[in-house]
Amino acid sequence: MDLGGEDTGVAEMGPSDRKSETSRLVAPNTETSPSYLNILSNICGLVFLGIILYCCFKDDVTLFSFHPTLMTLGWMLFMTSAMHALTPGDLATGWMPIRLKSARHWILQVIAGTIILTGFIVIVTNKFINSAYHFTSYHGKFGLASFIFLLMTMLGGLGALNSLKLKHYLPPIYTKLIHTSAGLLTFCLGVTTILLGFFSNWWKKDNPQWLTILCFVLVLMSMIATTLRPILKIYIRLRERLDIQN
Ligand code: HEM
C-alpha cells in the first residue's frame, strides 16, 4: 500500500485534514474523553422513541402505528449513531481505527435508510388504502423532501467513501465537505419533519400539550448535540482552506 502524500491526497490537505478522521494515516486517539454530547443525544433519542412507541401502540396496532415508530428509530437512533461514529470520544467507536469508524458510519446509515424507506412505504400505502390525498400537509411535504435528500446524501456518501479515487476530479477535502454539509442539511430537514408531525390531528387529538413540549425539547436537544461538532468541523476546514488560499 502506497502511503505517499501524492497518492493518498495528503499533500493537498490542510493541517486539520492531516489529522482528519478520514485520513488513512491516523491511529485511533484513545485518550479522548467520552463525548457527553453523543450520550445526551442517545438518551434523548431513546426517551423520545419510548414516548412514540407508547403513543402508537397504546390503543391498538394499525399499519399507521409503524410510520412514526420506524421514522423515529431510523432518524433519531440509527442516523444519529451513524453521525456520532465519526466524532471523537464516541463510546462505541472511540477505540476504533478510522477505517472501522467509517465502516460503522456507512453500515448504520444503510440500516437507517432501510428503516426509513420502510416507514415511508408504510405511510404511503396507508394513505392509498384509505383513499387519502398524498403530500398535502407541511409534514408530508417536508417528509417527501427529507426522503429525497436522504437518497441523494447516501449517493454522495459513495463519493466520500471513494474520495481518493475521485481526487482527479475534486480534491478529497471538498468531496467530504460536500457530503458532510448535505448530510447535516438532510438530518435537520428530517428533524423539522418530525416536529411538524406534532401538528397533525393524529397527535393533537389525544396527547397533552406538555407531552408535545417534552417531545420538542428531546428532539431539538438531540439535534443540537448531534450537529454541533460536525458544523464546527466544516467551519474550521473552510477557514483553513481560505487561509491557505490567501
Ligand atoms: C423524519 C421522519 C418522518 C418522515 C420523513 C415522515 C414522512 C411522512 C410523509 C412523506 C407523509 C405523507 C405521506 C403521503 O401523503 O402519502 C407522512 C404522513 C404522516 N406522518 Fe410522517 N414522517 C416522519 C415522522 C413522523 C412522526 C415522528 C410522526 C408522529 C409524530 C408522523 C406522523 C405522520 C402523520 C400523522 C401523517 C399523516 C398525515 C399527514 O400526511 O400529515 N410522522 N409522513
Side-chain angles (χ1 to χ4, degrees):
M1 181 172 57
D2 182 4
L3 291 178
E6 267 306 298
D7 204 43
T8 56
V10 170
E12 306 157 12
M13 294 180 177
S16 75
D17 301 329
R18 286 189 210 108
K19 285 182 256 152
S20 145
E21 292 147 340
T22 41
S23 160
R24 292 175 184 202
L25 303 175
V26 178
N29 183 358
T30 44
E31 280 162 29
T32 317
S33 57
S35 166
Y36 295 108
L37 284 176
N38 290 2
I39 298 170
L40 175 72
S41 163
N42 282 337
I43 292 173
C44 290
L46 275 172
V47 175
F48 178 58
L49 178 66
I51 295 173
I52 288 290
L53 276 170
Y54 174 75
C55 294
C56 287
F57 295 102
K58 68 178 188 300
D59 295 328
D60 58 20
V61 181
T62 63
L63 181 60
F64 175 80
S65 312
F66 293 94
H67 168 65
T69 307
L70 288 170
M71 290 307 196
T72 304
L73 187 66
W75 222 282
M76 299 305 297
L77 282 163
F78 277 94
M79 201 185 286
T80 49
S81 301
M83 291 164 83
H84 296 160
L86 298 177
T87 55
D90 183 48
L91 278 186
T93 57
W95 59 274
M96 290 182 184
I98 178 55
R99 287 206 152 184
L100 220 53
K101 283 186 189 183
S102 164
R104 184 179 157 99
H105 170 73
W106 72 255
I107 290 170
L108 285 177
Q109 278 299 6
V110 170
I111 297 175
T114 311
I115 295 173
I116 290 163
L117 171 68
T118 315
F120 188 78
I121 294 172
V122 162
I123 190 65
V124 174
T125 311
N126 191 56
K127 284 219 165 184
F128 267 120
I129 292 172
N130 293 301
S131 309
Y133 289 111
H134 295 275
F135 313 118
T136 46
S137 63
Y138 280 118
H139 171 81
K141 289 183 173 106
F142 269 75
L144 179 63
S146 312
F147 187 66
I148 294 170
F149 268 68
L150 176 65
L151 294 180
M152 291 192 309
T153 306
M154 287 180 82
L155 271 180
L158 286 177
L161 208 57
N162 295 296
S163 59
L164 291 177
K165 288 186 194 138
L166 298 173
K167 71 176 183 193
H168 299 297
Y169 306 99
L170 196 64
I173 170 87
Y174 292 119
T175 321
K176 285 170 196 157
L177 268 179
I178 293 169
H179 174 61
T180 312
S181 310
L184 283 171
L185 185 67
T186 303
F187 178 66
C188 293
L189 211 55
V191 167
T192 310
T193 305
I194 292 178
L195 296 180
L196 288 169
F198 297 121
F199 295 98
S200 63
N201 292 335
W202 170 78
W203 178 268
K204 282 195 293 189
K205 81 174 168 357
D206 51 11
N207 290 306
Q209 204 178 14
W210 67 262
L211 193 62
T212 310
I213 295 171
L214 176 63
C215 288
F216 257 77
V217 171
L218 289 170
V219 172
L220 286 176
M221 274 192 353
S222 176
M223 183 188 93
I224 293 168
T226 303
T227 56
L228 203 60
R229 280 176 306 163
I231 289 173
L232 277 175
K233 197 164 152 184
I234 292 179
Y235 172 73
I236 292 168
R237 293 270 164 89
L238 283 177
R239 278 205 57 174
E240 271 179 15
R241 288 280 104 188
L242 291 174
D243 286 350
I244 288 169
Q245 276 162 17
N246 291 331

